[in-house]
Amino acid sequence: MNEQMLGFVEALREANVKISQSEVIDALQSVGTIDILDRHVFRCALGATLVKDVQNRKLFDKLFDVFFPAAPTKYYQVIHDDDEEIDEPELSEQRALEIRRQLVEALINEDQSAIKSAIKRAVTSFSGMENGRPVGGVYYTYRTLRQLDLEAVVKSFLSGLSQIQKNDGHELSSDRSDKAIRLIRSEVDSEVLRRLVGDRGSSAVAKTLALRLPEDIDIVHASREEIEELHQSMIPLGKKLATRLARRHLSTKDAMLDFRKTVREAMSYGGTPASLYFRKPKISKPEIVLLSDISGSVASFARFTMQLLYVMSGSFSKMRSFVFIDTIDEVTGYFDTESDINDSLRNVTTKAKVVGLDGHSDYGNSFDLFERRYLEAVTKRTTLIICGDARSNYHPGREDVLRRLKERSRHVFWLNPEPKSYWNSGDSIISIYSPYCDGVFECRTLRQLEEFISNGV
Amino acid sequence: MRFDSISKVEELLKSQGYLPSKEIATVVYLAAILEKPVLVEGPAGTGKTELAKTVAHMVAMELIRLQCYEGLDESKALYEWNYRKQLLRIQAKDADVKEQWNVLSEDIFSEEYLLERPLLRALRTSSQCVLLIDEVDRLEVEAEALLLEVLSDFQVSIPELGTVTSKQIPLVFLTSNGTRDLSEALKRRCLYLYLDYPDIDRERAIIESKVKGVSGILAEQIAHYVSKLREMDLKKKPSVSESLDWAASLVEMGVGALSREATASTLNILLKYRSDIDSVKNVMESGRVVFD
Ligand SMILES: Nc1ncnc2c1ncn2[C@@H]1O[C@H](COP(=O)(O)OP(=O)(O)O)[C@@H](O)[C@H]1O
Ligand SMILES: [Mg+2]
């Protein structure tokens, strides 16, 4: 038990969840006071003691399932609670039909345990799982779902429902089928997981799953599901960063005595300064000018950077945004406080005029146009942030423009969403720009972006 | 103070009209046993404050509440000397030259001149209490350090009076609407409870428990409808408080079951922004959120 707990904590830490030793002790202590056979309570107790950021809960839940699966995990136990052996291949269509029928019936009756046993049979028959094969769970889930034929299941589920008139009017059939699909997927997932854990052990499975916090997802290569997760973490992340910046502004300057107010108040005590009054230090917030390359390869990174900076725009005294591919356009207006951030981003991609020539990134031309059209945007108070991979399709780089911009501004920073090892290969010309930057940072994940903002701006 | 079991906590909370999830009951149970503060985080109106109040009620303990706001400092959270009274005392004795300064100073820094604030009071009460530190996220960062100090050892030292240690560690609830991130150190001290919007069954039960005269059907419909709205991309999602207000108004209007008209004419109770109301109306007109 304890060993399993420590493995669990280790896996969480591996995924960058910060857990202190005292929290591990709290977890162990709390587990001693509850009925650990009640899996839900057990999960709650570990959650309350180990994971104190709601953003990390999803990862926590996944790993919890790996380390504390719902049912026995030893391989021989798994075999034994499956009633049948896999059938001969020619019988399998017959068997598939039967399993489908069983599942549909269970869904209609909302019978959780019947659903589970149908799923078990499906995984046994369809996944082709074999002991000791180094294949990831996703593959088995995929095979099971494909042969189960989700579409057919949902169709007969809905028609079964309408026959028995079990529609109470609150839910539309599309909601019901979505719900059923979600349920089946997650049941198959957890059954496959359970068997993998039985075969290989929790820690090994946790490693192959390579679960990541949204902050550690590689933005440029993120899957659609991951992009969705990233989106959800933008607002909390923005808030966190805003707090951190505020904290830094505060700690660097001490409050000054408000002499006048102190003396005025002292008058009423016959001149004794009974209370001292302090003036809040003036916080100097940076002015941000953001130039983002929004061409195909790096567009998603630009979106997240814009989104993040706008979520925390209260931390800046002023913010202006420009986007470019081979031509540059100002998009500050799309981000007024009234409109939804997603609408703003959509407007940026659909309305901004960024293609003048061939639609391939041209940093030199974009910088040149920026200098000619918007030079007044950059002043001694400006922090200029450039987002892009500096892949300029062999166009002239025009680093002279950047040199002049640097002279006019307070800071110039460059965020590059490519791994450092790719820099300056092919048409990447990041090295000709770096002499005119105060910092060039690899920025592939939200965590790196976060680090930049809390140290750099 | 310990509870017999998690289900006992559930039962007690329910008996006071608070509908807990298993998770809520578990965390309250653990907090009492481990003597650790609970940090309750979640959107506004999901029952964070009410939880602390209900716990105090159900165990018949005094509730001491520290409402946080920007600018709250030690003198308002912990203690302060009553300067006015001290000055009067000093001036009254001015004529009497014989009085020794050390006698006087001992006197004016005594109990009589102390203004006790919620944190100090929670440490000094003779019997165990529930300390509610409400909306910590509104505190400035420096004030958080003060909380951390008190919650670490449940003692404070007042230079003039010495160290005050609590006889019985209070049950502490800190609430936060998550408008900013709290320090890691504070979080480490606490058990964490995230109070999200309740699921449909629990929300229906909350409505039935809190709104007099609401029919089962109406409560159920409201719970469903509101959960649908929360799936939409709204500026301000309706919370439990809005569901309750809405239910009460519908009952007042004599509405027994939701209809399209009743819903459309009362949306302003659920939604605070014009743009949110408009987008919900659009969706309703397109027929996607339907009631018969
Ligand atoms: N689980 C619950 N059981 C009973 N009432 C609840 C529950 N959750 C929320 N409420 C009600 O919702 C309203 C808002 O709760 P409150 O505690 O003020 O929210 P918060 O402090 O999270 O902003 C109150 O009227 C409260 O009684
Ligand atoms: Mg509250």
Side-chain angles (χ1 to χ4, degrees):
Chain A
M1 177 63 209
N2 271 4
E3 202 177 309
Q4 197 66 0
M5 276 279 284
L6 297 180
F8 179 53
V9 169
E10 198 46 48
L12 282 167
R13 284 179 174 155
E14 200 106 310
N16 277 332
V17 179
K18 277 195 212 112
I19 299 176
S20 71
Q21 219 40 43
S22 70
E23 287 168 310
V24 177
I25 293 168
D26 290 343
L28 290 170
Q29 237 180 352
S30 70
V31 164
T33 71
I34 56 166
D35 171 14
I36 57 167
L37 294 182
D38 186 334
R39 188 160 174 263
H40 181 57
V41 165
F42 181 51
R43 186 194 292 260
C44 293
L46 293 191
T49 46
L50 295 175
V51 178
K52 296 168 183 181
D53 182 342
V54 65
Q55 294 299 118
N56 298 351
R57 268 301 153 100
K58 216 167 143 188
L59 181 104
F60 166 86
D61 279 333
K62 283 191 187 157
L63 282 174
F64 182 86
D65 288 339
V66 172
F67 280 83
F68 308 102
T73 58
K74 291 278 177 285
Y75 191 72
Y76 64 88
Q77 286 168 309
V78 173
I79 294 289
H80 285 290
D81 57 41
D82 286 311
D83 39 0
E84 296 146 89
E85 293 301 310
I86 299 172
D87 294 289
E88 300 298 310
E90 51 271 19
L91 288 178
S92 70
E93 191 41 38
Q94 181 58 34
R95 186 175 164 83
L97 274 174
E98 195 193 311
I99 292 175
R100 249 171 249 150
R101 197 173 321 120
Q102 189 189 345
L103 181 57
V104 168
E105 202 180 301
L107 285 170
I108 293 174
N109 298 332
E110 295 179 21
D111 180 344
Q112 296 302 325
S113 74
I115 294 174
K116 281 198 197 322
S117 69
I119 296 288
K120 264 188 198 165
R121 288 185 70 193
V123 173
T124 304
S125 311
F126 304 142
S127 69
M129 272 177 113
E130 276 169 41
N131 225 353
R133 262 174 81 189
V135 177
V138 184
Y139 169 73
Y140 295 126
T141 303
Y142 166 75
R143 283 189 53 147
T144 308
L145 290 174
R146 195 189 52 185
Q147 293 195 55
L148 190 57
D149 195 350
L150 265 187
E151 218 168 295
V153 170
V154 167
K155 220 165 129 191
S156 34
F157 166 59
L158 288 179
S159 78
L161 272 187
S162 66
Q163 270 171 28
I164 57 166
Q165 297 279 305
K166 209 178 167 187
N167 205 326
D168 47 20
H170 294 312
E171 278 182 286
L172 301 173
S173 57
S174 64
D175 290 340
R176 284 186 176 267
S177 58
D178 283 353
K179 218 190 258 172
I181 290 174
R182 240 177 294 141
L183 179 69
I184 295 170
R185 272 184 200 281
S186 86
E187 287 293 335
V188 170
D189 256 342
S190 62
E191 181 60 22
V192 166
L193 198 62
R194 189 173 76 86
R195 294 180 191 209
L196 281 179
V197 169
D199 181 18
R200 301 179 202 167
S202 306
S203 297
V205 173
K207 280 220 174 63
T208 50
L209 286 179
L211 297 172
R212 282 169 303 188
L213 291 177
E215 278 158 295
D216 293 314
I217 293 171
D218 187 335
I219 295 173
V220 172
H221 299 109
S223 68
R224 261 181 60 182
E225 196 187 336
E226 286 175 324
I227 293 274
E228 191 49 46
E229 251 178 81
L230 282 172
H231 266 299
Q232 285 166 10
S233 51
M234 294 314 280
I235 290 178
L237 178 61
K239 283 179 188 162
K240 186 159 100 185
L241 285 173
T243 323
R244 214 178 287 164
L245 288 190
R247 217 170 280 196
R248 215 186 40 210
H249 286 309
L250 272 175
S251 57
T252 50
K253 281 181 199 155
D254 290 328
M256 299 245 293
L257 183 68
D258 186 339
F259 188 72
R260 200 187 286 181
K261 193 165 177 198
T262 303
V263 169
R264 202 188 304 127
E265 188 71 11
M267 293 309 187
S268 55
Y269 298 109
T272 314
S275 306
L276 299 179
Y277 291 89
F278 293 92
R279 227 197 304 259
K280 282 272 172 72
K282 280 224 170 56
I283 297 170
S284 80
K285 296 175 175 177
E287 275 182 33
I288 303 286
V289 169
L290 180 67
L291 306 189
S292 309
D293 177 359
I294 58 165
S295 65
S297 55
V298 293
S300 58
F301 175 73
R303 280 172 65 97
F304 282 110
T305 307
M306 281 188 264
Q307 195 179 351
L308 185 63
L309 290 177
Y310 275 99
V311 167
M312 51 185 301
S313 61
S315 306
F316 311 127
S317 65
K318 205 170 170 189
M319 169 140 181
R320 285 178 75 173
S321 286
F322 302 84
V323 293
F324 63 90
I325 292 181
D326 60 35
T327 302
I328 197 159
D329 194 8
E330 174 156 18
V331 293
T332 311
Y334 298 142
F335 290 95
D336 57 77
T337 46
E338 284 301 293
S339 41
D340 181 74
I341 184 80
N342 289 316
D343 291 342
S344 312
L345 289 170
R346 209 166 305 125
N347 280 336
V348 169
T349 34
T350 54
K351 295 193 183 151
K353 290 181 190 55
V354 287
V355 177
L357 307 158
D358 58 358
H360 296 298
S361 289
D362 183 342
Y363 282 67
N365 190 49
S366 301
F367 287 169
D368 177 45
L369 286 174
F370 177 77
E371 186 182 38
R372 282 195 264 150
R373 293 186 198 157
Y374 307 111
L375 191 59
E376 47 35 84
V378 178
T379 71
K380 268 279 154 259
R381 287 183 301 278
T382 303
T383 295
L384 181 66
I385 302 176
I386 302 165
C387 287
D389 55 8
R391 291 198 174 274
S392 198
N393 297 287
Y394 307 101
H395 294 296
R398 295 296 309 273
E399 61 273 27
D400 56 305
V401 180
L402 195 60
R403 192 192 65 231
R404 288 192 293 276
L405 290 175
K406 169 144 173 49
E407 277 159 17
R408 281 180 70 92
S409 65
R410 193 165 76 119
H411 291 302
V412 177
F413 296 115
W414 193 300
L415 307 181
N416 191 333
E418 271 195 340
K420 226 174 195 155
S421 54
Y422 295 0
W423 294 3
N424 301 313
S425 69
D427 60 342
S428 162
I429 47 172
I430 189 76
S431 69
I432 69 163
Y433 294 125
S434 51
Y436 311 113
C437 297
D438 297 283
V440 181
F441 303 97
E442 179 192 273
C443 222
R444 300 157 61 201
T445 64
L446 287 191
R447 190 178 300 283
Q448 287 173 317
L449 193 55
E450 183 184 337
E451 257 163 41
F452 161 71
I453 292 175
S454 39
N455 302 326
V457 180
Chain B
M1 158 84 229
R2 273 167 177 243
F3 298 99
D4 295 341
S5 64
I6 294 169
S7 20
K8 183 73 191 169
V9 177
E10 262 181 310
E11 194 184 298
L12 282 169
L13 284 168
K14 267 188 210 152
S15 74
Q16 301 285 330
Y18 191 91
L19 278 296
S21 61
K22 193 79 172 194
E23 184 173 13
I24 296 177
T26 303
V27 176
V28 170
Y29 169 85
L30 289 175
I33 287 199
L34 303 182
E35 300 190 315
K36 295 213 120 218
V38 182
L39 169 62
V40 194
E41 206 172 37
T46 49
K48 299 182 293 295
T49 305
E50 186 78 4
L51 175 63
K53 286 184 182 167
T54 311
V55 169
H57 232 259
M58 76 191 195
V59 294
M61 286 186 198
E62 186 191 359
L63 175 76
I64 297 177
R65 177 173 181 169
L66 175 64
Q67 173 61 53
C68 300
Y69 51 87
E70 215 182 311
L72 179 76
D73 60 8
E74 198 173 281
S75 69
K76 292 290 173 288
L78 196 56
Y79 75 94
E80 173 171 40
W81 292 106
N82 191 338
Y83 294 119
R84 231 168 259 275
K85 210 167 157 190
Q86 285 175 327
L87 279 171
L88 288 174
R89 169 80 174 83
I90 294 167
Q91 283 163 353
K93 288 290 166 186
D94 239 0
D96 188 355
V97 264
K98 281 192 202 100
E99 184 166 31
Q100 303 267 309
W101 168 248
N102 53 2
V103 175
L104 179 65
S105 74
E106 215 161 84
D107 187 28
I108 61 171
F109 289 112
S110 67
E111 197 61 40
E112 197 190 338
Y113 297 88
L114 184 71
L115 294 173
E116 191 182 62
R117 305 294 188 207
L119 289 181
L120 185 60
R121 200 145 67 79
L123 294 182
R124 300 211 304 174
T125 49
S126 51
S127 51
Q128 198 184 13
C129 65
V130 172
L131 171 61
L132 164 61
I133 304 176
D134 216 5
E135 306 188 351
V136 234
D137 50 333
R138 289 168 64 176
L139 279 187
E140 274 144 3
V141 176
E142 316 89 340
E144 220 182 284
L146 172 70
L147 280 188
L148 187 63
E149 202 185 317
V150 173
L151 297 181
S152 299
D153 325 317
F154 291 97
Q155 64 175 41
V156 287
S157 66
I158 299 177
E160 301 85 354
L161 287 183
T163 303
V164 179
T165 312
S166 76
K167 292 186 203 71
Q168 289 194 293
I169 293 178
L171 271 177
V172 185
F173 291 87
L174 301 101
T175 77
S176 162
N177 290 332
T179 57
R180 70 173 182 80
D181 221 35
L182 304 174
S183 73
E184 299 281 333
L186 187 62
K187 286 184 177 176
R188 270 203 296 277
R189 289 264 159 253
C190 299
L191 301 179
Y192 183 79
L193 173 64
Y194 188 78
L195 273 198
D196 212 335
Y197 303 115
D199 60 25
I200 291 174
D201 283 342
R202 196 154 70 88
E203 184 143 24
R204 180 188 40 73
I206 295 171
I207 295 171
E208 285 188 308
S209 128
K210 291 269 152 130
V211 180
K212 286 204 183 63
V214 73
S215 70
I217 299 174
L218 184 61
E220 170 99 23
Q221 287 179 325
I222 291 174
H224 264 104
Y225 187 80
V226 171
S227 89
K228 274 266 164 260
L229 291 191
R230 288 181 195 137
E231 282 170 19
M232 290 179 60
D233 198 4
L234 298 174
K235 259 193 199 155
K236 168 92 178 61
K237 296 184 181 179
S239 191
V240 180
S241 2
E242 280 78 32
S243 305
L244 291 175
D245 289 347
W246 196 36
S249 316
L250 291 170
V251 169
E252 185 90 353
M253 291 160 60
V255 175
L258 279 187
S259 64
R260 196 174 276 267
E261 298 71 48
T263 306
S265 65
T266 50
L267 272 181
N268 60 327
I269 303 175
L270 281 178
L271 302 167
K272 303 300 172 215
Y273 287 93
R274 189 76 245 162
S275 58
D276 285 349
I277 295 178
D278 289 343
S279 43
V280 171
K281 279 192 172 152
N282 280 339
V283 172
M284 281 175 72
E285 259 142 49
S286 75
R288 293 223 321 266
V289 182
V290 188
F291 293 97
D292 342 17

